Amino acid sequence: MPGSNGVGLAAAQPADVSAAAGPTVGLDAEMTSRFADLASGVRLHYHEAGDPAAETVLLLHGGGPGASAWSNFGRTLGVLGERFHVLAVDQVGFGRSSKPAEFTKQFFAASADALAELLEQLGIERAHCVGNSLGGGTAVRLALDHPGKAGRLVLMAPGGLGLNVFAPDPTEGIKKLFAFGAPPGPSKEKLADFLRTLVFDQSMITDELVEERYQYAADPETLASMRAMGASFFAAGAAEQAMLWRDAYKLRQRVLLVWGREDRVNPLDGALLALKLIPRAQLHVFGGCGHWAMLEKFDEFNRLTADFLEAP
């Protein structure tokens, strides 16, 4: 995903250094790729950068077809790794993490539980969270269900927390997301159609990007897990659990809401209720930006995030 402003993904993912993660003390500051086999039976894959003695930041990706920690935060990892200890995690069902055919909990809760277990296993008391879309919803659920584990939250158009006041629901982006897996099945054309709703700068959606994402998105195991994830939002009692805005007033962390003015997935008006309800919230809006603020406004977003996380 080339771009003159620094937007784009790193050329290659770092090689795996182990099959099961242990304590991070003593690791090189360079990026590594690791797996953690949790006691719950979940396997999480994550990328790591930065000094393990520094404050930890979790990078949590969105939920579109073919999404992963690397696709959303590959280059962000190295930048924030200069100031923090950073873990970019493939959430359950994505990337190279476990892909369950059934979720016994609503997805946000299941992913948050796995992250809390990961932090416990790595001996990390607390981590700041940077979450895009679905990852933002997971970050909020982690803060609600495991408040001692979550530090400050940077939430980019977070799923479940925004509530559309003026925009129609489902939005254009969500309709294209549902269409990807609908009969007669996935295609590169459908994927490209969805990806174009994520950005203001349409030149970012290259053939190379579509090809890269489709390899993951069309995998049968991934598709089955995505269907299970979707079903977890509509199971008995789960729909209410996914409405994170109803519990937004309980958040005691400092929260930075980040939105693209031209977001066609979770529109800007969805920020208004969260901004009103979260006691320690602030909102930053990028003009000329869609749903991928961390890519479309790469340099500005990284400065904003680092300054927010380090502020007294």
Side-chain angles (χ1 to χ4, degrees), residues 42 44 60-64 67 89-95 97-100 102-115 132-139 141-142 145 159 225-235 237-239 241-242 244:
V42 171
L44 287 183
L60 302 173
H61 61 81
V89 184
D90 287 338
Q91 295 192 75
V92 179
F94 291 88
S97 290
S98 294
K99 295 179 177 60
E102 181 180 2
F103 283 85
T104 57
K105 288 186 174 183
Q106 191 274 334
F107 176 82
F108 291 145
S111 186
D113 287 352
L115 290 171
N132 170 243
S133 197
L134 186 79
T138 295
R141 180 49 66 190
L142 178 69
D145 292 356
S225 191
M226 292 301 94
R227 286 192 290 268
M229 182 195 73
S232 79
F233 282 83
F234 299 101
Q241 192 177 19
L244 299 173

Side-chain angles (χ1 to χ4, degrees), residues 161-185:
L161 187 62
L163 183 67
N164 294 354
V165 179
F166 306 114
D169 203 358
T171 61
E172 178 188 4
I174 296 301
K175 288 179 180 178
K176 296 290 177 65
L177 175 61
F178 289 157
F180 176 75

Side-chain angles (χ1 to χ4, degrees), residues 20-236:
T24 60
V25 175
L27 280 179
D28 230 337
E30 296 180 357
M31 286 185 281
T32 56
S33 178
R34 289 180 164 270
F35 290 91
D37 293 303
L38 307 179
S40 60
V42 171
R43 167 171 266 210
L44 287 183
H45 173 256
Y46 63 96
H47 304 280
E48 182 172 28
D51 181 359
E55 288 189 287
T56 298
V57 176
L58 289 177
L59 302 180
L60 302 173
H61 61 81
S68 68
W70 194 256
S71 70
N72 273 193
F73 292 112
R75 293 186 66 250
T76 304
L77 183 67
V79 175
L80 293 183
E82 295 176 359
R83 298 165 72 170
F84 304 96
H85 174 228
V86 187
L87 305 177
V89 184
D90 287 338
Q91 295 192 75
V92 179
F94 291 88
R96 299 167 69 190
S97 290
S98 294
K99 295 179 177 60
E102 181 180 2
F103 283 85
T104 57
K105 288 186 174 183
Q106 191 274 334
F107 176 82
F108 291 145
S111 186
D113 287 352
L115 290 171
E117 193 176 354
L118 173 66
L119 293 176
E120 191 71 29
Q121 180 170 309
L122 297 180
I124 298 170
E125 182 177 349
R126 187 186 71 165
H128 302 305
C129 298
V130 177
N132 170 243
S133 197
L134 186 79
T138 295
V140 172
R141 180 49 66 190
L142 178 69
L144 290 171
D145 292 356
H146 307 275
K149 294 291 186 186
R152 298 183 181 188
L153 309 179
V154 179
L155 308 174
M156 289 164 282
L161 187 62
L163 183 67
N164 294 354
V165 179
F166 306 114
D169 203 358
T171 61
E172 178 188 4
I174 296 301
K175 288 179 180 178
K176 296 290 177 65
L177 175 61
F178 289 157
F180 176 75
S187 70
K188 293 178 184 178
E189 292 72 24
K190 285 185 180 181
L191 178 57
D193 206 24
F194 166 68
L195 293 176
R196 291 189 188 101
T197 69
L198 301 181
V199 294
F200 176 75
D201 179 4
Q202 295 294 294
S203 69
M204 293 179 63
I205 309 305
T206 63
D207 292 342
E208 180 184 19
L209 172 64
V210 174
E211 184 68 36
E212 179 183 310
R213 299 260 308 210
Y214 191 72
Q215 291 178 20
Y216 283 97
D219 172 68
E221 186 182 24
T222 299
L223 285 170
S225 191
M226 292 301 94
R227 286 192 290 268
M229 182 195 73
S232 79
F233 282 83
F234 299 101

